[in-house]
Amino acid sequence: MHMLIRVLVPATDATEAAGTARFALDRLIGIGEGASTVFDYYKTLDESTARYRDHPRYGGLDPAHRLSSATGKQLLDDAIEAQAMWFVETVATLREKLDTLEPAEVMDDVDLVRYDCYRLGQFAGPSVWIYDEHGAGLRSRCAVDRYVEDRDSDSLWVVPADVHY
């Protein structure tokens, strides 16, 4: 499966932003010390084979956008909204399952209930749409807001990346 994630990075220009994002993305595919493999591979939008490069919704996007730009803000807001919607829907589904299953069934992962719990708790992977320059997942609007507040927002860039999991 493919998804379009965003990496928030401090940088002076788009080239530096894309390079910094690649460092974070490398960590998410298992390259580098302390890295973990949460995605199979990635492509940034400056690569001609990136799946989302010519997508009707994302086609024509530059590889990196200043967070202060309209496009940068929209890319980040879209990711925050998608991540929140997924979380709310998954919590609702999990509640339904927990209301109907017996503890032994939960333990046996009937209806993938334990898997839902696992996904809700993930710090990286398909349930997280936004990452920082180190590859750490920013799992909520509050986490994104804290990240932005702790940095000079004029130097922040949003780098979209097509990932496969």
Side-chain angles (χ1 to χ4, degrees), residues 84-143:
M85 283 178 45
W86 174 88
F87 189 86
V88 168
E89 289 170 4
T90 303
V91 167
T93 300
L94 180 60
R95 280 191 175 131
E96 288 176 19
K97 291 176 182 180
L98 291 173
D99 284 345
T100 61
L101 296 173
E102 295 297 321
E105 293 174 310
V106 172
M107 183 175 265
D108 288 337
D109 199 20
V110 170
D111 207 13
L112 297 176
V113 66
R114 289 182 77 163
Y115 180 67
D116 287 341
C117 292
Y118 163 75
R119 291 182 358 176
L120 285 169
Q122 285 185 308
F123 286 87
S127 62
V128 181
W129 275 253
I130 308 158
Y131 296 85
D132 69 10
E133 72 270 22
H134 306 289
L138 301 173
R139 303 185 308 161
S140 67
R141 179 175 292 280
C142 184

Side-chain angles (χ1 to χ4, degrees), residues 5-16:
I5 63 170
R6 281 62 157 191
V7 184
L8 279 175
V9 297
T12 56
D13 60 26
T15 302
E16 181 184 353

